[in-house]
Each structure stands twice: as structure tokens, then as C-alpha cells.
Amino acid sequence: MSDKIVITRIEGKIVTAMIEQGKIVELNCEKSHNNSILGNIYTAKVKNIVKNINAAFVEVEGGRICYYSLNENKNHHFLKPVTRTNLVQEDEILVQVSRENVKTKQPTVTSNLNFTGRYLVLTSQKHQIGISKKIRNEERVKELKALADQFIRPDFGIIFRTNAETALDEEILAEAEHLIRQFDLVCQKAMYRNPFQLIYEAPKGYLSLIRDQRQTCLNEIVTDQRDIYDVVLAYLKDNQDEEKILQLFERDGIRLDQIYRISHELEQALSEKVWLKSGGYLVIQPTEAMTVIDVNTGKAIKGKRVEEHFLNINLEAAREIGRQLRLRNLSGIIVVDFIDMKLAESEELLMNEMREILKHDRIKTMLVDMTKLHLMEITRKKVRKPLLEQWKEK
């Protein structure tokens, strides 16, 4: 995960750069007055139910209409007592935004309220105990399950995040107490509120990014903005995190943007073409349905070993594609057209390399298959808006 997180302002937007081994691997932009609703919890009213897609559309604060899947949400948080389990028009329910609006698609909301910490996720609808698949130490898994018995209740479930593997039990128990208190408070407040009200506001985007990093790998958080420094410092204190990793950069005439070339990386990440060191290049084109990535030989010079040459370009391209998915926050279906290779072994090497690269993505990303047309299919979970939309947002 990240070695360093750099937070600054560029053209009036708060830009967060996540750096691994000296290279920027993720960029996120948000307005100074954050208008993101991702993770917010609202009292909502059902506007209509569309049976042919088995979904409802609900209204939240500000007249915003959100998509609510009835396939994924079997149990509903009704604000008023009802004797039925099915949802009807005009019902008032409690929902959480699970996905921001992307392009023409409305925000998605869920009845499964999630409260996320560094070590745990509390879930209101999934009542089991879950363990991150990245925790492979079987003894630690047993310890965590036994630890959950000290605070689990019938009305919620718990998922242990990867950070829990190396955390002290006392730290996990303290966070569990904090998340349960948040959950109880939200449920209590919602009982006395009318529809269209904000009940819980999710942390600012850059705070969520700090929270989601593996504690053992995050060495430094640096910002040159005093107000952001104060917010992050308060957050670290509240969550009993190490305050010493936070640095305020103050040097006359020098900005963090200049030192880390964030504007340059941002400009590159907003363009279609990405050059590779070999002389090849990528063309990245997001469409309404999917993102298409084309790998080209470009200026790369061919030798006598054409197959080996193409494989090397493809392997370099795979590494850069893994970075670009994170950098641009591309999601949904991603189709990659690599340079054609004749040998099945070359294709298998490329597939294995891409699988390993995608494991480093903190957002769930999966290599699906290579089609008969030799197009690689990748899926990446949709959470936040793509970088291009974040930057263009007014």
C-alpha cells in the first residue's frame, strides 16, 4: 500500500496523491466544500417502484433521486412501524449511499448501513463475522473470531479488515466500541426525523483514504494547507492513530505540487495517451458502457525476436495499466487490447502478471478472462467517481 499521502490544493480543489516507492499511484480530487454524498446516511422516501427492474427510486436530502435495488435489499429500515416486509410507494426508510452518481447514472443507496474503521467494518444487514481474505494466518483468524464474541450483537455483523492482522486486540476492541456507538446513535436519531434529512455524514474524501491505508505501510502524511493539517490532526487524535506521521510543509515560495509534480501527473492522468519507457504507448478511452485500453508498439524498435519483443511491451503495459486503473479510478468493465502474440505460453505469462498486479489494488479488481478475440476483460468495483469527473466537477 502507500508509503506516503500528500494533500494539497490545485486550482481550488483538494488533491490527494498516494505515493508508493516514489511514484504517484492514486489521485483524488474534491472541492474544498465537499459535496460528495458517498457514505452519507439519509432518511428517504420511496418515490416509485419499477417492477420490471425490481428496484425503487428514493428521494433524499436536496431532492436527489437515488437507485435502490430490491434484489440486493431484502430487509428495509422503516422509519415508521409497519406490519409488512415489502416496500411500497411513500414508505419512509433509512438508507446509505453506497455509490456516487457516475455520468448519467444516479447514486445507489442501500439498507445495509456500513460504519468503517481502520480495523473493522460494522454492517447492519449482514450479521455474520467476516475476515479479510488477505489475512492468511489461520491462528490469527481464530483469535479474531474469538475477539468478536466480546462485542458482537444479533442486530449487526462485523468484518475484520486486513489491518486487523497486525493490530493489538485493545485497539480493535476500542474501535468496535466506537463503531457500535455510531450505529446506535444513527438508529436512534432516525426514529425522530422526517424524510430527506442527513443523519450521518461520512468523513471527507482524504480522511477516508487515510483510514483505508494499511497502518504498517503508511509512513507519512504531508500537507502544505494549515486547515487540512488541523482536520487530519483532529482525525488522527480521535482515532488514536500515530500523530507523528503527519507533517505540515511550510517553506516560502515552494509548494508540494512542485516537489511531487502533482499537476504534471494530473495532466497526464487526464489525457488519452500514456507513453511507456519502451516506446510503446496506451490509449485509454472511457465510454458509457466500459473503458477500452489499446496497447500499441509505437516507437518501440523490433529485433529478430518479435514474440519476445511483443511480450516485453505487453508486460510493461500491464504494469502501467494496473497503475492507471488506480490513478484514474477507472471502474466497471475494462477491456484491454494487447499486442497480438502467437504463443499460448506468452499469453499465459501476461495473464499471470496482470493477476499479480491487480492484487495491489485496494479496490476489488478482478481479471475475468481473455476472450477468443484476445481481449483481456477486467472488472473493478465502482465506488467513487473517475478522476476525470472529479476534476471537471464544478
Side-chain angles (χ1 to χ4, degrees), residues 4-10 15 19 24 220-225 247-251 253-263:
K4 182 183 293 187
I5 291 179
V6 177
I7 312 170
T8 189
R9 278 190 173 87
I10 298 174
V15 178
I19 299 171
I24 295 177
E220 186 179 0
I221 304 166
V222 59
T223 180
D224 53 7
Q225 308 293 308
Q247 303 291 329
L248 178 63
F249 180 88
E250 291 181 307
R251 196 174 299 174
I254 302 177
R255 296 178 294 115
L256 288 175
D257 179 23
Q258 296 168 307
I259 295 173
Y260 294 99
R261 303 186 72 209
I262 298 174
S263 289

mmCIF file of all heavy atoms in Angstrom, residues 4-10 15 19 24 220-225 247-251 253-263:
data_model
loop_
_atom_site.group_PDB
_atom_site.id
_atom_site.type_symbol
_atom_site.label_atom_id
_atom_site.label_comp_id
_atom_site.label_asym_id
_atom_site.label_seq_id
_atom_site.Cartn_x
_atom_site.Cartn_y
_atom_site.Cartn_z
ATOM 1 N N LYS A 4 3.357 7.082 1.364
ATOM 2 C CA LYS A 4 3.143 8.483 1.715
ATOM 3 C C LYS A 4 1.839 8.986 1.085
ATOM 4 O O LYS A 4 1.476 8.593 -0.010
ATOM 5 C CB LYS A 4 4.322 9.310 1.203
ATOM 6 C CG LYS A 4 4.280 10.777 1.530
ATOM 7 C CD LYS A 4 5.463 11.519 0.920
ATOM 8 C CE LYS A 4 6.768 11.092 1.556
ATOM 9 N NZ LYS A 4 7.907 11.922 1.081
ATOM 10 N N ILE A 5 1.157 9.878 1.820
ATOM 11 C CA ILE A 5 -0.008 10.576 1.273
ATOM 12 C C ILE A 5 0.284 12.069 1.296
ATOM 13 O O ILE A 5 0.671 12.611 2.340
ATOM 14 C CB ILE A 5 -1.284 10.256 2.083
ATOM 15 C CG1 ILE A 5 -1.705 8.794 1.867
ATOM 16 C CG2 ILE A 5 -2.425 11.185 1.687
ATOM 17 C CD1 ILE A 5 -2.932 8.385 2.643
ATOM 18 N N VAL A 6 0.137 12.712 0.150
ATOM 19 C CA VAL A 6 0.373 14.145 0.022
ATOM 20 C C VAL A 6 -0.971 14.822 -0.285
ATOM 21 O O VAL A 6 -1.675 14.416 -1.200
ATOM 22 C CB VAL A 6 1.382 14.444 -1.110
ATOM 23 C CG1 VAL A 6 1.571 15.948 -1.278
ATOM 24 C CG2 VAL A 6 2.716 13.762 -0.826
ATOM 25 N N ILE A 7 -1.294 15.854 0.496
ATOM 26 C CA ILE A 7 -2.562 16.571 0.311
ATOM 27 C C ILE A 7 -2.258 18.041 0.082
ATOM 28 O O ILE A 7 -1.563 18.681 0.889
ATOM 29 C CB ILE A 7 -3.491 16.415 1.539
ATOM 30 C CG1 ILE A 7 -3.594 14.948 1.969
ATOM 31 C CG2 ILE A 7 -4.877 16.965 1.226
ATOM 32 C CD1 ILE A 7 -4.294 14.745 3.311
ATOM 33 N N THR A 8 -2.778 18.587 -1.018
ATOM 34 C CA THR A 8 -2.540 19.999 -1.332
ATOM 35 C C THR A 8 -3.757 20.564 -2.055
ATOM 36 O O THR A 8 -4.762 19.864 -2.220
ATOM 37 C CB THR A 8 -1.268 20.154 -2.183
ATOM 38 O OG1 THR A 8 -0.951 21.548 -2.300
ATOM 39 C CG2 THR A 8 -1.423 19.535 -3.555
ATOM 40 N N ARG A 9 -3.659 21.805 -2.474
ATOM 41 C CA ARG A 9 -4.730 22.419 -3.273
ATOM 42 C C ARG A 9 -4.174 22.797 -4.639
ATOM 43 O O ARG A 9 -3.093 23.374 -4.745
ATOM 44 C CB ARG A 9 -5.300 23.667 -2.591
ATOM 45 C CG ARG A 9 -6.331 23.361 -1.516
ATOM 46 C CD ARG A 9 -7.040 24.633 -1.047
ATOM 47 N NE ARG A 9 -8.142 24.331 -0.138
ATOM 48 C CZ ARG A 9 -8.022 24.178 1.178
ATOM 49 N NH1 ARG A 9 -6.817 24.311 1.740
ATOM 50 N NH2 ARG A 9 -9.067 23.905 1.926
ATOM 51 N N ILE A 10 -4.955 22.471 -5.683
ATOM 52 C CA ILE A 10 -4.595 22.840 -7.049
ATOM 53 C C ILE A 10 -5.852 23.390 -7.719
ATOM 54 O O ILE A 10 -6.879 22.702 -7.775
ATOM 55 C CB ILE A 10 -4.062 21.621 -7.839
ATOM 56 C CG1 ILE A 10 -2.779 21.084 -7.182
ATOM 57 C CG2 ILE A 10 -3.794 22.002 -9.296
ATOM 58 C CD1 ILE A 10 -2.264 19.803 -7.806
ATOM 59 N N VAL A 15 -6.459 18.086 -3.643
ATOM 60 C CA VAL A 15 -5.930 16.939 -4.398
ATOM 61 C C VAL A 15 -5.108 16.075 -3.455
ATOM 62 O O VAL A 15 -4.200 16.567 -2.781
ATOM 63 C CB VAL A 15 -5.075 17.398 -5.595
ATOM 64 C CG1 VAL A 15 -4.503 16.183 -6.339
ATOM 65 C CG2 VAL A 15 -5.898 18.262 -6.542
ATOM 66 N N ILE A 19 1.427 7.861 -2.775
ATOM 67 C CA ILE A 19 2.741 7.590 -3.366
ATOM 68 C C ILE A 19 3.292 6.268 -2.840
ATOM 69 O O ILE A 19 3.311 6.026 -1.627
ATOM 70 C CB ILE A 19 3.714 8.739 -3.045
ATOM 71 C CG1 ILE A 19 3.175 10.046 -3.637
ATOM 72 C CG2 ILE A 19 5.111 8.440 -3.580
ATOM 73 C CD1 ILE A 19 3.930 11.285 -3.224
ATOM 74 N N ILE A 24 3.571 8.277 -7.865
ATOM 75 C CA ILE A 24 2.158 8.521 -7.578
ATOM 76 C C ILE A 24 1.318 7.404 -8.206
ATOM 77 O O ILE A 24 1.400 7.166 -9.411
ATOM 78 C CB ILE A 24 1.707 9.894 -8.120
ATOM 79 C CG1 ILE A 24 2.429 11.022 -7.376
ATOM 80 C CG2 ILE A 24 0.191 10.071 -7.971
ATOM 81 C CD1 ILE A 24 2.120 12.416 -7.879
ATOM 82 N N GLU A 220 4.066 8.416 6.101
ATOM 83 C CA GLU A 220 3.993 9.871 6.242
ATOM 84 C C GLU A 220 2.744 10.418 5.571
ATOM 85 O O GLU A 220 2.322 9.951 4.518
ATOM 86 C CB GLU A 220 5.238 10.499 5.607
ATOM 87 C CG GLU A 220 5.362 11.999 5.818
ATOM 88 C CD GLU A 220 6.617 12.569 5.187
ATOM 89 O OE1 GLU A 220 7.392 11.794 4.589
ATOM 90 O OE2 GLU A 220 6.816 13.787 5.283
ATOM 91 N N ILE A 221 2.142 11.411 6.212
ATOM 92 C CA ILE A 221 1.078 12.220 5.619
ATOM 93 C C ILE A 221 1.590 13.649 5.638
ATOM 94 O O ILE A 221 1.962 14.162 6.704
ATOM 95 C CB ILE A 221 -0.237 12.133 6.422
ATOM 96 C CG1 ILE A 221 -0.694 10.681 6.582
ATOM 97 C CG2 ILE A 221 -1.331 12.970 5.756
ATOM 98 C CD1 ILE A 221 -1.772 10.494 7.636
ATOM 99 N N VAL A 222 1.641 14.292 4.495
ATOM 100 C CA VAL A 222 2.187 15.652 4.445
ATOM 101 C C VAL A 222 1.224 16.563 3.687
ATOM 102 O O VAL A 222 0.652 16.178 2.673
ATOM 103 C CB VAL A 222 3.599 15.658 3.795
ATOM 104 C CG1 VAL A 222 3.572 15.097 2.384
ATOM 105 C CG2 VAL A 222 4.203 17.057 3.805
ATOM 106 N N THR A 223 1.041 17.770 4.216
ATOM 107 C CA THR A 223 0.205 18.767 3.552
ATOM 108 C C THR A 223 0.819 20.146 3.738
ATOM 109 O O THR A 223 1.526 20.390 4.715
ATOM 110 C CB THR A 223 -1.239 18.757 4.102
ATOM 111 O OG1 THR A 223 -2.032 19.744 3.417
ATOM 112 C CG2 THR A 223 -1.280 19.039 5.597
ATOM 113 N N ASP A 224 0.545 21.033 2.787
ATOM 114 C CA ASP A 224 1.001 22.419 2.922
ATOM 115 C C ASP A 224 -0.178 23.362 3.182
ATOM 116 O O ASP A 224 -0.064 24.572 3.005
ATOM 117 C CB ASP A 224 1.796 22.862 1.678
ATOM 118 C CG ASP A 224 1.029 22.613 0.380
ATOM 119 O OD1 ASP A 224 -0.154 22.221 0.440
ATOM 120 O OD2 ASP A 224 1.627 22.786 -0.693
ATOM 121 N N GLN A 225 -1.297 22.774 3.594
ATOM 122 C CA GLN A 225 -2.511 23.551 3.877
ATOM 123 C C GLN A 225 -2.819 23.468 5.372
ATOM 124 O O GLN A 225 -3.116 22.393 5.888
ATOM 125 C CB GLN A 225 -3.693 23.007 3.073
ATOM 126 C CG GLN A 225 -3.431 22.879 1.580
ATOM 127 C CD GLN A 225 -3.264 24.236 0.914
ATOM 128 O OE1 GLN A 225 -4.104 25.125 1.068
ATOM 129 N NE2 GLN A 225 -2.179 24.392 0.166
ATOM 130 N N GLN A 247 2.806 15.686 8.813
ATOM 131 C CA GLN A 247 3.750 16.796 8.706
ATOM 132 C C GLN A 247 3.088 17.991 8.010
ATOM 133 O O GLN A 247 2.371 17.814 7.023
ATOM 134 C CB GLN A 247 4.981 16.369 7.888
ATOM 135 C CG GLN A 247 5.712 15.153 8.424
ATOM 136 C CD GLN A 247 6.415 15.421 9.740
ATOM 137 O OE1 GLN A 247 6.859 16.547 9.992
ATOM 138 N NE2 GLN A 247 6.526 14.393 10.571
ATOM 139 N N LEU A 248 3.341 19.181 8.533
ATOM 140 C CA LEU A 248 2.905 20.403 7.867
ATOM 141 C C LEU A 248 4.106 20.989 7.136
ATOM 142 O O LEU A 248 5.111 21.344 7.761
ATOM 143 C CB LEU A 248 2.353 21.409 8.875
ATOM 144 C CG LEU A 248 1.910 22.759 8.292
ATOM 145 C CD1 LEU A 248 0.758 22.574 7.307
ATOM 146 C CD2 LEU A 248 1.513 23.728 9.404
ATOM 147 N N PHE A 249 4.017 21.073 5.807
ATOM 148 C CA PHE A 249 5.119 21.593 4.985
ATOM 149 C C PHE A 249 4.946 23.088 4.817
ATOM 150 O O PHE A 249 3.967 23.552 4.233
ATOM 151 C CB PHE A 249 5.117 20.884 3.624
ATOM 152 C CG PHE A 249 6.214 21.346 2.708
ATOM 153 C CD1 PHE A 249 7.466 20.745 2.745
ATOM 154 C CD2 PHE A 249 6.000 22.375 1.801
ATOM 155 C CE1 PHE A 249 8.483 21.169 1.902
ATOM 156 C CE2 PHE A 249 7.006 22.806 0.955
ATOM 157 C CZ PHE A 249 8.253 22.199 1.004
ATOM 158 N N GLU A 250 5.884 23.852 5.342
ATOM 159 C CA GLU A 250 5.830 25.310 5.224
ATOM 160 C C GLU A 250 7.208 25.813 4.787
ATOM 161 O O GLU A 250 8.164 25.801 5.561
ATOM 162 C CB GLU A 250 5.441 25.942 6.566
ATOM 163 C CG GLU A 250 4.001 25.661 6.974
ATOM 164 C CD GLU A 250 3.632 26.321 8.287
ATOM 165 O OE1 GLU A 250 4.365 26.111 9.278
ATOM 166 O OE2 GLU A 250 2.612 27.032 8.333
ATOM 167 N N ARG A 251 7.284 26.225 3.531
ATOM 168 C CA ARG A 251 8.537 26.772 3.012
ATOM 169 C C ARG A 251 8.196 27.864 1.998
ATOM 170 O O ARG A 251 7.451 27.612 1.049
ATOM 171 C CB ARG A 251 9.367 25.675 2.354
ATOM 172 C CG ARG A 251 10.821 26.066 2.134
ATOM 173 C CD ARG A 251 11.635 24.912 1.607
ATOM 174 N NE ARG A 251 11.669 23.777 2.525
ATOM 175 C CZ ARG A 251 12.229 22.617 2.235
ATOM 176 N NH1 ARG A 251 12.778 22.425 1.041
ATOM 177 N NH2 ARG A 251 12.227 21.636 3.116
ATOM 178 N N GLY A 253 7.650 30.150 -0.940
ATOM 179 C CA GLY A 253 7.831 30.056 -2.386
ATOM 180 C C GLY A 253 7.855 28.647 -2.943
ATOM 181 O O GLY A 253 8.006 28.451 -4.153
ATOM 182 N N ILE A 254 7.715 27.638 -2.107
ATOM 183 C CA ILE A 254 7.732 26.249 -2.595
ATOM 184 C C ILE A 254 6.451 25.542 -2.162
ATOM 185 O O ILE A 254 6.049 25.629 -0.996
ATOM 186 C CB ILE A 254 8.969 25.483 -2.048
ATOM 187 C CG1 ILE A 254 10.258 26.199 -2.460
ATOM 188 C CG2 ILE A 254 8.979 24.040 -2.566
ATOM 189 C CD1 ILE A 254 11.503 25.559 -1.894
ATOM 190 N N ARG A 255 5.842 24.865 -3.109
ATOM 191 C CA ARG A 255 4.615 24.124 -2.820
ATOM 192 C C ARG A 255 4.852 22.623 -3.027
ATOM 193 O O ARG A 255 5.734 22.220 -3.801
ATOM 194 C CB ARG A 255 3.473 24.593 -3.736
ATOM 195 C CG ARG A 255 3.079 26.053 -3.505
ATOM 196 C CD ARG A 255 1.986 26.503 -4.458
ATOM 197 N NE ARG A 255 2.457 26.509 -5.845
ATOM 198 C CZ ARG A 255 1.988 25.717 -6.800
ATOM 199 N NH1 ARG A 255 1.050 24.816 -6.520
ATOM 200 N NH2 ARG A 255 2.453 25.794 -8.024
ATOM 201 N N LEU A 256 4.049 21.821 -2.363
ATOM 202 C CA LEU A 256 4.155 20.368 -2.518
ATOM 203 C C LEU A 256 3.875 19.944 -3.954
ATOM 204 O O LEU A 256 4.433 18.964 -4.445
ATOM 205 C CB LEU A 256 3.173 19.661 -1.571
ATOM 206 C CG LEU A 256 3.539 19.702 -0.091
ATOM 207 C CD1 LEU A 256 2.430 19.068 0.730
ATOM 208 C CD2 LEU A 256 4.862 19.007 0.171
ATOM 209 N N ASP A 257 3.031 20.693 -4.628
ATOM 210 C CA ASP A 257 2.717 20.413 -6.029
ATOM 211 C C ASP A 257 3.988 20.412 -6.878
ATOM 212 O O ASP A 257 4.177 19.564 -7.760
ATOM 213 C CB ASP A 257 1.723 21.455 -6.536
ATOM 214 C CG ASP A 257 1.354 21.247 -8.001
ATOM 215 O OD1 ASP A 257 1.502 20.108 -8.497
ATOM 216 O OD2 ASP A 257 0.924 22.209 -8.652
ATOM 217 N N GLN A 258 4.885 21.368 -6.583
ATOM 218 C CA GLN A 258 6.138 21.462 -7.342
ATOM 219 C C GLN A 258 7.075 20.298 -7.015
ATOM 220 O O GLN A 258 7.706 19.718 -7.902
ATOM 221 C CB GLN A 258 6.833 22.786 -7.026
ATOM 222 C CG GLN A 258 6.029 24.011 -7.458
ATOM 223 C CD GLN A 258 6.608 25.289 -6.883
ATOM 224 O OE1 GLN A 258 6.818 25.398 -5.678
ATOM 225 N NE2 GLN A 258 6.892 26.263 -7.741
ATOM 226 N N ILE A 259 7.165 19.956 -5.748
ATOM 227 C CA ILE A 259 8.105 18.907 -5.315
ATOM 228 C C ILE A 259 7.712 17.545 -5.891
ATOM 229 O O ILE A 259 8.567 16.793 -6.381
ATOM 230 C CB ILE A 259 8.160 18.851 -3.778
ATOM 231 C CG1 ILE A 259 8.742 20.146 -3.229
ATOM 232 C CG2 ILE A 259 8.988 17.639 -3.316
ATOM 233 C CD1 ILE A 259 8.687 20.250 -1.719
ATOM 234 N N TYR A 260 6.420 17.227 -5.837
ATOM 235 C CA TYR A 260 5.962 15.900 -6.266
ATOM 236 C C TYR A 260 5.381 15.890 -7.680
ATOM 237 O O TYR A 260 4.889 14.851 -8.126
ATOM 238 C CB TYR A 260 4.923 15.370 -5.268
ATOM 239 C CG TYR A 260 5.517 15.111 -3.906
ATOM 240 C CD1 TYR A 260 5.371 16.050 -2.880
ATOM 241 C CD2 TYR A 260 6.252 13.963 -3.644
ATOM 242 C CE1 TYR A 260 5.920 15.827 -1.619
ATOM 243 C CE2 TYR A 260 6.802 13.727 -2.395
ATOM 244 C CZ TYR A 260 6.636 14.660 -1.392
ATOM 245 O OH TYR A 260 7.184 14.440 -0.151
ATOM 246 N N ARG A 261 5.416 17.039 -8.350
ATOM 247 C CA ARG A 261 4.937 17.152 -9.743
ATOM 248 C C ARG A 261 3.497 16.629 -9.876
ATOM 249 O O ARG A 261 3.153 15.888 -10.788
ATOM 250 C CB ARG A 261 5.865 16.399 -10.689
ATOM 251 C CG ARG A 261 7.313 16.848 -10.629
ATOM 252 C CD ARG A 261 8.148 16.162 -11.678
ATOM 253 N NE ARG A 261 7.847 16.669 -13.017
ATOM 254 C CZ ARG A 261 7.976 15.944 -14.126
ATOM 255 N NH1 ARG A 261 8.356 14.678 -14.058
ATOM 256 N NH2 ARG A 261 7.705 16.477 -15.301
ATOM 257 N N ILE A 262 2.659 17.025 -8.931
ATOM 258 C CA ILE A 262 1.290 16.515 -8.902
ATOM 259 C C ILE A 262 0.483 17.036 -10.087
ATOM 260 O O ILE A 262 -0.255 16.287 -10.727
ATOM 261 C CB ILE A 262 0.609 16.877 -7.562
ATOM 262 C CG1 ILE A 262 1.372 16.206 -6.411
ATOM 263 C CG2 ILE A 262 -0.849 16.430 -7.563
ATOM 264 C CD1 ILE A 262 0.891 16.612 -5.030
ATOM 265 N N SER A 263 0.645 18.329 -10.412
ATOM 266 C CA SER A 263 -0.079 18.892 -11.564
ATOM 267 C C SER A 263 0.302 18.177 -12.849
ATOM 268 O O SER A 263 -0.543 17.917 -13.709
ATOM 269 C CB SER A 263 0.209 20.387 -11.703
ATOM 270 O OG SER A 263 -0.407 21.117 -10.674
#
